[in-house]
Amino acid sequence: MISLKNPEQIRKMREAGAILYEVLQELRGQIKPGVTTAALDVFAEQLIRKHHAIPSFLHYQGYPATICASVDDAVVHGIPSHKQVLQEGQIISIDCGVQLDGWQADSAFTMGVGEISPEAAKLIEVTEQCFFDGVKQAVAGNRLGDIGHAVQQVAESHGYGVIRDLTGHGIGRNLHEDPAVFNFGEPGHGMRLRKGMTIAVEPMIAAGTWRVTQDKDGWCFRTADHSLCAHYEHTIAINEDGLPELLTYPGFTWKEDA
């Protein structure tokens, strides 16, 4: 069932999103060679609780950490570890959620560890482009397939694979709500978008195959061919007119930044 949010509820999600944005910006500064993913996790949890908010991921369906830290061929849900020490040239996706006063926000980014190859940098750049081109379709009256199609068109035009087994999602009081938001699809197909819908759009784009495998820990997904994968996500609110609001990107305006 789709839950439409009123302006006051969206305001609360915006507040959660502002905290999450600050946490992720601070985390960017912590990512460097020699740092463990477990240290990043501790840093994120402490910062979230400093804001009197709750880490959404911690203990969610049994997940043991505040962030997902997915390195190189890991697509999503990489569990932070004291044994995983970041190395120069790797790429890492950080996915995190914040709950504030019962309302959720979810966002992710991918960046390089120190100096990275031009190929890795391009993958990250194109993944972000996939997000923004997809979200431009998140207009009341359009359909979910319009978002997925736009993401797919950008990724495949660069020869990349669009992960198909993992999706974006609705979000609100719960971290995961209806509908599923696919990163591929046909324009004009799928659920019609309506004012008050709040969804997390999150392209996961691989340098090689779109197929994935899952680690024995039951959480981390990897590209089946072990190619690099990037991930980018924001929580958005569908407006009655015009392009959506990025609730986890304070100050963003389409005119200036898109």
Side-chain angles (χ1 to χ4, degrees):
M1 184 176 70
I2 305 300
S3 170
L4 300 179
K5 282 74 175 183
N6 62 39
E8 176 62 17
Q9 292 169 333
I10 290 174
R11 182 187 68 79
K12 292 177 179 179
M13 292 181 67
R14 187 183 300 120
E15 291 177 355
I19 292 171
L20 180 54
Y21 177 81
E22 181 176 334
V23 169
L24 293 184
Q25 290 300 105
E26 292 285 342
L27 271 173
R28 284 180 179 271
Q30 300 296 311
I31 294 172
K32 59 192 71 174
V35 173
T36 67
T37 52
L40 297 176
D41 185 68
V42 170
F43 181 86
E45 181 179 358
Q46 290 176 343
L47 194 52
I48 291 169
R49 296 195 187 281
K50 181 180 177 182
H51 285 283
H52 306 290
I54 298 171
S56 301
F57 293 4
L58 186 61
H59 308 310
Y60 179 75
Q61 297 183 352
Y63 187 74
T66 292
I67 64 171
C68 297
S70 306
V71 176
D72 286 345
D73 66 336
V75 180
V76 287
H77 304 166
I79 299 175
S81 170
H82 292 288
K83 296 180 180 179
Q84 187 169 46
V85 181
L86 297 180
Q87 305 294 323
E88 183 91 17
Q90 291 181 318
I91 66 172
I92 181 171
S93 162
I94 300 291
D95 192 357
C96 189
V98 160
Q99 181 189 150
L100 181 69
D101 298 330
W103 292 92
Q104 302 278 356
D106 190 4
S107 185
F109 68 87
T110 302
M111 66 175 285
V113 180
E115 295 292 326
I116 61 174
S117 69
E119 294 78 12
K122 179 183 176 183
L123 176 65
I124 294 171
E125 179 183 356
V126 170
T127 300
E128 294 186 14
Q129 182 186 347
C130 286
F131 170 85
F132 286 104
D133 278 34
V135 169
K136 284 179 182 177
Q137 300 300 316
V139 175
N142 279 4
R143 295 184 179 272
L144 280 173
D146 297 322
I147 298 174
H149 179 73
V151 170
Q152 183 178 9
Q153 288 289 101
V154 173
E156 293 183 351
S157 72
H158 290 275
Y160 296 147
V162 178
I163 303 301
R164 294 174 177 243
D165 295 336
L166 302 157
T167 73
H169 51 90
I171 183 171
R173 286 195 177 276
N174 297 310
L175 183 60
H176 292 99
E177 299 181 351
D178 291 333
V181 183
F182 291 87
N183 293 308
F184 63 97
E186 295 294 328
H189 287 68
M191 177 179 293
R192 192 174 298 280
L193 302 174
R194 298 172 57 190
K195 175 188 175 183
M197 290 179 66
T198 49
I199 58 176
V201 179
E202 50 179 318
M204 292 155 271
I205 308 300
T209 182
W210 59 266
R211 300 182 186 279
V212 297
T213 61
Q214 191 172 29
D215 286 0
K216 292 180 180 179
D217 63 19
W219 286 103
C220 183
F221 286 89
R222 298 183 185 276
T223 54
D225 60 0
H226 298 293
S227 60
L228 294 179
C229 189
H231 179 205
Y232 191 76
E233 174 186 17
H234 281 294
T235 297
I236 70 169
I238 308 297
N239 296 317
E240 185 171 19
D241 298 304
L243 292 167
E245 178 184 358
L246 275 59
L247 299 175
T248 48
Y249 197 158
F252 176 87
T253 61
W254 286 100
K255 183 177 179 180
E256 296 175 4
D257 298 301

